[in-house]
Amino acid sequence: MRRALGRDFGWLWGAYSVSALGTGLAFSAFPLIAVVALRAGPAEVAALAAVGPAVGALLAVPLGPWVEFRRKRPVMMAADLLRCGALLSVPAAYALGVLGLGQLLLVSVIVAAADISFTAASGAFLKSLLPPEDLLVASGRFESTTWTATMVGPPLGGALIGLFGPVVTVAADAASYLLSAAGLRAIGAREPEPVRPASSAGRLTGGDLLAGWRHLLAHPGLRPLFLNAALVNGLIMAGAPLLTVLMLGPLHFAPWQYSLAFAVPCAGGLLGSRLAPRLVARYGHRRVLLTSGTLRVCWPLGLAFVGPGVGGLALVMIVEFGLIACIGVYNPVLATTRLELTPKDRVVRTLSAWSVGTKASIASLTALWGALATLTGPRPALAAAGALLLVTPVLLFGVRGSVGGSEAAPAVPVGESARRRPPTGC
């Protein structure tokens, strides 16, 4: 039986759904614009993917404690509006004939910083909006929405690009953030003003900046999960711009084929997110984290062997389906576990530290792999990333103690759907 989570959660879910669809439409929009419109090479595409998130993560470091002691919904709305304005500058510059890589980099910096602030605020807002027993159910609905939008959005985005040019999906993504802000505005629940410790006297302190990092790195359950996420996300995303260049360049896939290759496998995310609560109910949080976290890194090595034509397209789809299905199981349990293991007065700073750390890792490894691809070509660099991913589960097996609550009891009744929080990422 489907569990009702209330009207306010419905507005939150609706706001997330529309922005997720916009993100799906604009899947890999910046790399596509760089390759197709600006004729960028592997190093430039890798730099675009790396520098924006890295600088955005740096700018977001003081935002975590700033957001912690403010109402979360206004912060989320402001982040939506900021992303909307920044993204709208891209089609405007393109129409005027002045768009360049520099502007794409600047927009990616702004969007990355706003993403981190929104993600951290939304996790805290969700935890305050729902009781603990509903978090996994709510997270499952967000996860299913993510993969549905990712499955539907890229093919539609590819068609829009073919009909109207490479920046139309960026405009659609900007509009989705505006609609998301309107949905958040419609939430009726009154959010109390967070109480700031008297010792802070209204000022940011070094302790505020480091509180999230201290919690992440000192907690025996969160530390190995965080380090694993930083490496796995970094190595997976480091290969993304290289695969873009390989498929759209030497292998001569059309943009719609490239989008389709990553849209169809998102059915695996839907399957995984539906299975997650049943697996947790039967086997417990820790076992599901270890198993799905290990299985998800066994797939990307196959991308180094992609070839032209139907066979190459099928290989990408098979690899991505397996990867995404495992991620669909892993992400809901991870995100729920993070919220359960973090006190309410440290949620924003902890999630912010997590996002900054993973984005910094993604940026560093993407830049490194861009340089590697310049020396060796995209295919050997993809193989190196896939091989290194195979050793990352060692960190997961360093998780000590119980995570996600009692291992003997399920977090939600058997049969409920499950998953994690608004936008994000692991």
Side-chain angles (χ1 to χ4, degrees), residues 10 33 106 135 137 200 239 241 247 273 290 299 316-317 366 394 410 426:
I33 293 170
L106 178 60
L135 288 177
V137 179
S200 296
M247 292 182 70
S273 64
L290 295 180
W299 298 91
V316 174
M317 289 182 177
T366 299
V394 172
C426 297

Side-chain angles (χ1 to χ4, degrees), residues 45-426:
V45 174
L48 178 62
V51 174
V55 179
L58 182 63
L59 293 177
V61 169
L63 292 178
W66 183 84
V67 173
E68 189 81 76
F69 303 111
R70 281 161 179 80
R71 292 189 178 96
K72 309 305 181 290
R73 188 159 60 106
V75 171
M76 294 159 65
M77 293 167 60
D80 274 340
L81 294 175
L82 181 61
R83 289 182 287 190
C84 174
L87 288 170
L88 282 177
S89 73
V90 173
Y94 182 79
L96 295 172
V98 295
L99 180 63
L101 281 174
Q103 181 175 348
L104 292 182
L105 281 170
L106 178 60
V107 171
S108 68
V109 167
I110 295 171
V111 170
D115 281 346
I116 292 174
S117 298
F118 186 98
T119 298
S122 64
F125 185 70
L126 182 64
K127 185 169 182 174
S128 68
L129 189 67
L130 297 177
E133 62 270 18
D134 286 337
L135 288 177
L136 190 58
V137 179
S139 293
R141 295 178 188 176
F142 286 122
E143 182 75 1
S144 296
T145 299
T146 297
W147 294 117
T148 300
T150 309
M151 182 166 56
V152 173
L156 291 178
L160 289 173
I161 288 172
L163 290 172
F164 302 108
V167 299
V168 65
T169 57
V170 178
D173 195 15
S176 76
Y177 286 123
L178 186 62
L179 293 174
S180 173
L184 294 171
R185 179 70 177 82
I187 295 175
R190 179 171 177 78
E191 187 181 357
E193 184 75 32
V195 178
R196 186 177 183 85
S199 58
S200 296
R203 298 186 301 272
L204 271 181
T205 67
D208 290 330
L209 291 173
L210 297 176
W213 292 101
R214 283 200 302 266
H215 181 65
L216 273 183
L217 298 177
H219 197 288
L222 288 178
R223 181 176 60 251
L225 293 174
F226 167 65
L227 295 176
N228 175 265
L231 282 175
V232 170
N233 290 0
L235 288 170
I236 289 175
M237 295 307 297
L242 309 183
L243 188 60
T244 300
V245 171
L246 182 64
M247 292 182 70
L248 296 177
L251 298 181
H252 303 294
F253 286 101
W256 69 267
Q257 292 175 311
Y258 171 81
S259 297
L260 188 66
F262 296 97
V264 173
C266 290
L270 290 173
L271 176 63
S273 64
R274 301 290 282 183
L275 286 175
R278 294 167 173 81
L279 293 174
V280 168
R282 183 167 183 177
Y283 299 108
H285 282 74
R286 187 173 190 274
R287 187 177 298 180
V288 173
L289 279 172
L290 295 180
T291 303
S292 60
T294 299
L295 290 176
R296 82 195 198 280
V297 302
C298 297
W299 298 91
L301 183 59
L303 295 174
F305 303 98
V306 62
V310 175
L313 197 63
L315 176 61
V316 174
M317 289 182 177
I318 291 169
V319 169
E320 291 294 325
F321 182 90
L323 172 65
I324 291 171
C326 295
I327 289 174
V329 174
Y330 182 81
N331 280 357
V333 188
L334 172 65
T336 303
T337 298
R338 281 187 314 200
L339 291 178
E340 290 177 346
L341 296 181
T342 304
K344 280 189 175 181
D345 64 347
R346 260 176 285 176
V347 170
V348 172
R349 285 172 288 178
T350 299
L351 295 184
S352 180
W354 186 291
S355 293
V356 168
T358 53
K359 283 183 180 292
S361 175
I362 289 171
S364 300
L365 290 174
T366 299
L368 180 60
W369 252 254
L372 179 63
T374 301
L375 296 174
T376 66
R379 203 180 294 275
L382 284 169
L388 285 175
L389 278 167
L390 296 177
V391 303
T392 57
V394 172
L395 287 167
L396 288 178
F397 287 88
V399 176
R400 298 192 301 275
S402 175
V403 296
S406 172
E407 291 293 285
V412 293
V414 177
E416 291 287 349
S417 64
R419 197 255 93 152
R420 51 159 236 166
R421 47 93 260 185
T424 131
C426 297

